[in-house]
């Protein structure tokens, strides 16, 4: 009897299958919510990155599937003067432009955080370089620095300060200065406005207390503003470095990497070799060679952020 | 993007009529008759998307559009035509080739079809048909478009680049006739500089201009990037001589040429700051069309490239071939359109519309009225005949196209002329770049 009574009960209580667990387990539910984001990341970030790295190990040409050739593309790049020049240019461009953008951006942010007349208008005006399309601003700079028709040369000549046009984009040093200048002009608003947003989060009571304690403006900046702004600075500089390192449009529209490759960045050289020259594998190798530099920039910022205890709600070291 | 109609054609017909082109009903009648007799019958419901380089001479564009409209009207093929800047045609064609969609026909530069030989529709029948009918193809045009026995595209035209100079300046420099050899040319440029009427040639990454005149200097010294078997031979005493010559020449240039792109010499010449350069006929055409530049127009003359120590013309002219992709759903329509473009009733008038900017690649068009309409046009008629293919004496193909696109020769000369590198290093670097490409 007991056996008879137990048998149907057993069959009624079905053991939860793996599928049931996947459907009802709360931890798995979280996983399901993440699936769309993961799919998006895999499709639009991981796959292109993986494909680019794979292509760099092949001799793929435009319109033709290539063969796996191991490190051959990298071996050629290792011994390629133009490639190393582009690495040098990229690092110089990134370092100088990012540093100057930070300096000017921080200054502007502090300035715009003060009480002054027409503050809203000034804040909006600072954004103008950022909202002009890159190619348009590059074309404007191309005209400004034109060898024959530069407004700067013209003005200086009219003032009697120079007798010949300045060879802005035809001289290697000048050309580098010009493209860095253009990048700074474009990039400052991003730094300034983001830092300004950070400054707005600093409580005025801290400054009031410091004022009562007799702190100077420099001391207030050093001991209040800067420490509280550090997380924003880290994020802003990470993005600023990444944007500058991978800049393409500005250079391509202004100089196409010239004169004599003096302004070729890794991104522009990669485009020239892969798309214009048809050597997809080699172009992909140059693009892939950017990854270690970009990872290093991200890591420095990341570990810099990790090290700070404020992330865990504690004071800074 | 344009959708051509009879109305738009008629609206654009005024300029063509002025140029003596076949316009209006006559053009449509011809197109209808041609479509009935043509060897290629477009597929039913065919629709072609065509990308071409953006015109430099407006009347050429009008003539092209008129042809497109007539073809559409006669065959019923829907035509979507759009233009891109010279530099953007090849990247966009490459994307299309790689994805296998987007474009049916591309009219681009240099050896474009050779960049993706497996993706293009073979045009052997079209080339055969046109070649037999119109006196054969010029040698450079044929080499530019052929791979083995196959035509990868059709060489529609060549954009001839020749010397454009101010006669008053060369006269003042003591040269009543434009020099015909390299030493004479150098002496003239020195004299021009001494008179503060300098010459100037692009040393920057100018796809057409810089590649054009620097290959002329290189080849003129019997120096080549690769030999007939594609072995890299750039590092040679002849190249060293070419570098020395080019350096001496560049010392006479207007400052700033190292940064010049393809439009820079046009601007400087038309502004009256430049007195001799190498260019297509566009400078002269722009001057003619500007009523304020009457004096400059009358003073502007053309000349053939002087011949180097090699003793024969060594010109790299800008070939503009058209290709159809093999993934097009309408191969017959594509072939029909290409053949239609080069029929005498169209092409002769189209050349007239281009005002010398385009040069024929089919020998029968040598007598086109455009070459006699203005004596200053005549030099450009020889561009395709005098040109060498972009590979020089090497094999035409994607490697030669890559070398041009990568500015290997341009950078070698620019490195030496600007003092960035000595001759040995500049040659060694170019040699290495070429070995990379030709490996």
């Amino acid at each position: 009897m007991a056996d008879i009574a137990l048998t149907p009960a057993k069959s009624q209580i079905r053991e939860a299958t793996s599928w049931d667990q996947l459907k009802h387990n709360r931890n798995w539910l979280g996983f399901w919510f993440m699936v769309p984001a993961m799919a998006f990341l895999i499709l639009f970030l991981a796959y292109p990155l993986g494909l680019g790295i794979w292509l760099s190990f092949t001799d793929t040409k435009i319109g033709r599937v290539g063969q796996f050739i191991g490190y051959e593309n990298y071996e050629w790049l290792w011994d390629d003067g133009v490639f190393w020049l582009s690495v040098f240019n990229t690092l110089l461009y990134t370092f100088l432009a990012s540093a100057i953008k930070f300096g000017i951006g921080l200054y502007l942010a502090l300035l715009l955080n003060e009480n002054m007349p027409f503050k809203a208008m000034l804040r909006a005006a600072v954004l103008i370089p950022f909202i002009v399309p890159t190619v348009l601003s590059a074309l404007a700079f191309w005209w400004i620095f034109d060898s024959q028709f530069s407004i700067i040369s013209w003005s200086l000549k009219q003032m009697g300060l120079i007798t010949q046009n300045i060879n802005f984009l035809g001289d290697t040093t000048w050309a580098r200065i010009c493209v860095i200048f253009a990048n700074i002009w474009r990039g400052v608003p991003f730094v300034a406005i983001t830092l300004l947003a950070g400054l707005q989060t600093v409580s005025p009571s801290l400054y009031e207390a410091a004022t009562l304690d007799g702190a100077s403006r420099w001391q207030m900046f050093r001991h209040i503003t800067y420490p509280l702004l550090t997380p924003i600075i880290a994020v802003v500089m990470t993005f600023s470095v990444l944007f500058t390192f991978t800049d393409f449009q500005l250079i391509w529209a202004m100089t196409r990497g010239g004169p004599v490759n003096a302004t070729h960045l890794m991104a522009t050289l990669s485009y020239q070799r892969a798309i214009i020259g048809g050597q997809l594998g080699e172009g992909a190798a140059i693009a892939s060679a950017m990854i270690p530099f970009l990872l290093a920039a991200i890591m420095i910022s990341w570990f810099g952020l990790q090290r700070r205890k404020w992330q865990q709600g504690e004071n800074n070291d | 993007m344009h959708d051509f109609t009879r109305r738009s054609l008629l609206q654009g017909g005024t300029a063509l009529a002025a140029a003596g082109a076949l316009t209006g009903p006559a053009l449509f009648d011809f197109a209808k008759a041609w479509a009935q007799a043509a060897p290629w019958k477009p597929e039913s419901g065919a629709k072609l998307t065509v990308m071409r380089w953006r015109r430099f001479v407006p009347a050429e564009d009008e003539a092209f559009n008129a042809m497109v409209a007539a073809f559409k009207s006669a065959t019923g093929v829907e035509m979507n035509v759009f233009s891109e800047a010279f530099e953007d045609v090849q990247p966009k064609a490459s994307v299309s080739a790689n994805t296998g969609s987007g474009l049916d026909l591309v009219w681009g530069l240099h050896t474009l079809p050779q960049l993706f030989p497996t993706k293009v529709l073979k045009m052997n029948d079209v080339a055969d048909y046109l070649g037999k009918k119109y006196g054969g193809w010029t040698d450079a045009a044929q080499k530019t478009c052929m791979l083995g026995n196959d035509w990868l595209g059709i060489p529609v035209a060549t954009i001839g680049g020749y010397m454009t100079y101010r006669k008053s300046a060369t006269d003042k420099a003591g040269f009543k006739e434009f020099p015909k050899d390299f030493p004479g040319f150098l002496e003239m440029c020195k004299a021009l500089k001494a008179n503060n009427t300098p010459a100037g040639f692009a040393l920057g990454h100018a796809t057409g201009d810089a590649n054009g005149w620097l290959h002329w200097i290189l080849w003129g010294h019997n120096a080549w990037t690769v030999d007939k078997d594609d072995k890299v031979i750039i590092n040679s005493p002849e190249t060293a001589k070419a570098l020395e010559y080019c350096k001496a020449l560049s010392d006479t240039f207007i400052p700033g040429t190292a940064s010049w792109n393809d439009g820079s010499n046009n601007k400087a010449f038309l502004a009256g700051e430049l007195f001799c350069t190498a260019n297509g006929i566009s400078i002269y055409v722009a001057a003619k069309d500007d009523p304020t530049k009457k004096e400059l127009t009358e003073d502007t003359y053309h000349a053939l490239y002087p011949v180097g120590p090699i003793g024969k013309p060594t010109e790299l002219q800008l070939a503009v071939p058209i290709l159809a992709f093999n993934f097009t759903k309408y191969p017959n329509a594509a072939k029909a359109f290409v053949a239609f473009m080069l029929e005498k009733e169209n092409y002769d008038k189209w050349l007239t519309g281009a005002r010398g900017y385009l040069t024929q690649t089919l020998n029968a068009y040598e007598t086109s009225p455009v070459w006699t309409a203005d004596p200053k046009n005549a030099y450009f008629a020889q561009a395709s005949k005098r040109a060498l293919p972009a590979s020089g004496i090497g094999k035409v193909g994607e490697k030669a196209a890559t070398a041009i696109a990568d500015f290997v020769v341009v950078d070698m000369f620019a490195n030496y002329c600007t003092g960035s590198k000595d001759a040995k290093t500049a040659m060694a670097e170019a040699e290495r770049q070429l070995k990379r490409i030709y490996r």
Side-chain angles (χ1 to χ4, degrees):
Chain A
M1 278 296 284
D3 285 349
I4 295 165
L6 284 173
T7 308
K10 255 187 179 175
S11 65
Q12 281 169 8
I13 305 168
R14 185 170 60 85
E15 277 189 24
T17 62
S18 301
W19 176 241
D20 290 331
Q21 286 183 18
L22 289 177
K23 277 198 299 186
H24 300 297
N25 185 300
R26 288 179 65 83
N27 293 331
W28 276 102
L29 196 62
F31 171 79
W32 292 126
F33 279 125
M34 282 175 58
V35 164
M38 278 169 52
F40 185 85
L41 289 174
I42 290 169
L43 190 63
F44 294 108
L45 289 176
Y47 171 71
L49 183 66
L51 181 65
I53 293 170
W54 162 251
L55 283 175
S56 73
F57 294 109
T58 69
D59 61 357
T60 306
K61 306 276 193 295
I62 292 274
R64 177 142 55 80
V65 177
Q67 301 289 318
F68 180 78
I69 55 167
Y71 293 103
E72 194 179 307
N73 284 324
Y74 291 97
E75 284 167 3
W76 277 94
L77 286 180
W78 187 259
D79 199 22
D80 184 343
V82 179
F83 168 71
W84 284 111
L85 181 60
S86 78
V87 173
F88 168 77
N89 291 336
T90 309
L91 293 175
L92 180 80
Y93 184 76
T94 306
F95 180 77
L96 280 181
S98 300
I100 298 171
K101 274 188 284 192
F102 172 69
I104 299 174
L106 181 61
Y107 173 75
L108 280 175
L110 291 169
L111 200 68
L112 294 172
N113 198 37
E114 298 289 323
N115 281 322
M116 60 169 76
F118 309 113
K119 193 163 70 174
M121 273 179 66
L122 286 172
R123 284 179 181 177
V126 167
L127 268 177
I128 287 173
F130 199 57
I131 59 174
V132 176
T134 310
V135 171
L136 282 186
S137 44
L139 287 174
F141 277 110
W142 177 54
W143 273 101
I144 290 168
F145 297 128
D146 189 274
S147 309
Q148 271 72 45
F149 307 104
S150 163
I151 184 73
I152 300 171
S153 291
W154 182 84
S155 304
L156 294 175
K157 269 165 62 177
Q158 292 297 311
M159 287 188 274
L161 296 174
I162 57 171
T163 52
Q164 279 202 323
N165 290 338
I166 301 170
N167 194 6
F168 284 114
L169 296 179
D171 176 83
T172 52
T173 308
W174 268 116
R176 286 186 179 123
I177 292 170
C178 291
V179 293
I180 289 171
F181 180 86
N183 180 277
I184 291 167
W185 182 84
R186 266 198 70 72
V188 159
F190 169 72
V191 179
I193 295 296
T194 317
L195 291 183
L196 178 63
L199 283 174
Q200 311 258 290
T201 64
V202 180
S203 170
S205 61
L206 294 173
Y207 294 111
E208 286 163 14
T211 309
L212 289 174
D213 286 344
S216 66
R217 287 181 75 82
W218 168 248
Q219 283 172 320
M220 281 195 271
F221 173 78
R222 173 70 188 85
H223 298 290
I224 300 173
T225 310
Y226 176 70
L228 291 174
L229 210 55
T230 307
I232 301 288
I233 291 173
V235 173
V236 165
M237 288 314 290
T238 304
F239 278 100
S240 180
V241 166
L242 295 186
F243 291 154
T244 314
F245 196 92
T246 55
D247 196 7
F248 171 83
Q249 290 181 69
L250 206 60
I251 300 290
W252 197 249
M254 279 179 75
T255 64
R256 301 207 168 234
V260 286
N261 300 314
T263 59
H264 245 321
L265 303 187
M266 291 169 83
T268 53
L269 187 66
S270 169
Y271 177 78
Q272 182 177 298
R273 297 236 171 123
I275 307 298
I276 308 286
Q279 312 270 35
L280 271 183
E282 200 177 303
I286 298 170
S288 299
M290 293 165 75
I291 295 173
F293 295 103
L294 294 169
L295 275 179
I298 293 168
M299 289 297 170
I300 289 167
S301 168
W302 175 252
F303 285 115
L305 286 169
Q306 287 283 56
R307 207 167 52 81
R308 305 196 71 82
K309 288 183 180 172
W310 50 257
Q311 276 208 312
Q312 287 83 39
E314 298 175 36
N315 294 327
N316 291 322
D317 286 326
Chain B
M1 207 171 274
H2 306 293
D3 187 18
F4 294 101
T5 62
R6 180 185 284 258
R7 180 185 295 273
S8 68
L9 170 68
L10 292 174
Q11 281 170 345
T14 317
L16 291 175
L22 197 61
T23 57
L27 180 58
F28 284 111
D29 290 345
F30 158 69
K32 276 180 189 161
W34 184 89
Q36 282 175 358
W40 301 277
K41 303 294 176 204
E43 296 81 356
S44 145
K47 186 176 179 181
L48 295 176
T49 301
V50 185
M51 177 170 67
R52 63 156 292 181
W53 47 274
R54 189 166 296 136
R55 90 289 187 282
F56 283 72
V57 177
E60 180 271 305
D61 201 32
E62 285 177 13
F64 181 77
N65 292 347
M67 266 191 297
V68 171
F71 181 76
K72 177 186 172 184
S73 165
T75 60
V77 176
E78 285 295 319
M79 299 291 293
N80 288 319
V81 180
F82 66 97
S83 309
E84 293 290 347
F86 258 154
E87 294 83 3
D88 294 335
V89 170
Q90 191 259 313
K92 291 191 176 177
S94 298
V95 170
S96 202
N98 239 25
T99 57
S101 65
L103 298 169
D104 298 290
L105 289 153
V106 178
W107 189 26
L109 301 192
H110 283 309
T111 49
L112 180 69
Q114 305 275 1
L115 271 183
F116 17 78
T118 60
K119 296 287 178 179
V120 298
L121 185 68
K122 304 285 188 292
M123 289 274 188
N124 297 356
D125 45 355
V126 179
D128 194 43
Y129 166 82
L130 291 168
K132 279 182 181 157
K133 197 168 177 183
Y134 295 112
W137 300 92
T138 61
D139 190 48
Q142 188 164 337
K143 282 180 179 158
T144 297
C145 281
M146 285 191 81
L147 182 64
N149 292 321
D150 288 325
W151 288 77
L152 304 179
I154 293 295
V156 177
T158 298
I159 299 173
Y162 280 112
M163 292 295 169
T164 301
Y165 66 97
R166 295 280 294 272
K167 183 104 176 56
S168 58
T170 53
D171 281 352
K172 193 178 167 196
F175 290 81
K176 296 289 173 202
E177 272 196 3
F178 201 89
K180 291 188 167 51
D181 59 14
F182 278 21
F185 181 62
L186 177 58
E187 288 312 309
M188 187 192 76
C189 288
K190 282 180 180 171
L192 285 173
K193 190 190 180 188
N195 291 340
N196 203 23
T197 54
F201 298 77
L203 276 163
H205 284 180
T207 308
D209 290 344
N211 271 311
W213 83 275
L214 288 167
H215 277 85
W216 157 63
I217 296 281
L218 182 74
W219 295 344
H221 282 87
N222 199 20
W224 309 91
T225 51
V226 292
D227 68 9
K228 62 181 175 49
D229 300 317
D230 276 356
K231 186 180 164 225
V232 175
I233 54 167
I234 188 81
N235 202 337
S236 67
E238 289 80 11
T239 304
K241 283 179 191 162
L243 285 171
E244 290 303 330
Y245 179 80
C246 192
K247 175 80 172 74
L249 205 58
S250 69
D251 287 342
T252 70
F253 290 174
I254 186 172
T257 54
S259 70
W260 278 10
N261 65 19
D262 282 300
S264 301
N265 59 351
N266 297 52
K267 281 190 296 172
F269 195 97
L270 291 169
E273 296 191 1
L274 178 67
F275 295 81
C276 177
T277 192
N279 203 63
I281 204 168
S282 56
I283 289 178
Y284 178 60
V285 169
K288 268 211 287 199
D289 289 349
D290 186 345
T292 66
K293 293 201 169 12
K294 194 165 181 294
E295 195 183 332
L296 189 144
T297 307
E298 285 168 4
D299 193 31
T300 298
Y301 280 72
H302 298 117
L304 296 173
Y305 278 119
V307 173
I310 194 172
K312 56 186 178 185
T314 50
E315 296 166 12
L316 171 62
Q317 304 289 4
L318 204 58
V320 277
I322 195 166
L323 64 86
F325 286 116
N326 56 12
F327 47 77
T328 178
K329 290 178 189 165
Y330 312 109
N332 284 338
K335 285 182 176 179
F337 176 66
V338 173
F340 180 73
M341 281 165 65
L342 277 90
E343 292 286 10
K344 186 173 174 56
E345 288 77 358
N346 284 320
Y347 196 76
D348 225 4
K349 310 300 180 187
W350 187 17
L351 286 184
T352 305
R355 300 166 73 185
Y357 193 71
L358 297 179
T359 303
Q360 71 284 337
T361 46
L362 284 160
N363 292 318
Y365 295 118
E366 276 177 22
T367 52
S368 176
V370 69
W371 305 126
T372 47
D374 181 340
K376 289 181 182 177
N377 294 355
Y379 295 105
F380 292 86
Q382 302 176 56
S384 191
K385 268 211 153 157
R386 287 170 64 95
L388 296 177
S391 55
I393 55 172
K395 293 174 184 162
V396 175
E398 60 186 18
K399 290 175 179 173
T402 299
I404 293 265
D406 246 1
F407 297 106
V408 175
V409 168
V410 173
D411 283 344
M412 178 183 73
F413 278 107
N415 268 320
Y416 186 58
C417 292
T418 59
S420 295
K421 291 194 168 70
D422 61 34
K424 260 188 178 175
T425 314
M427 280 195 293
E429 192 171 270
E431 181 181 34
R432 207 197 154 286
Q433 299 292 358
L434 286 164
K435 281 184 175 168
R436 172 178 62 77
I437 293 165
Y438 280 89
R439 70 184 191 258

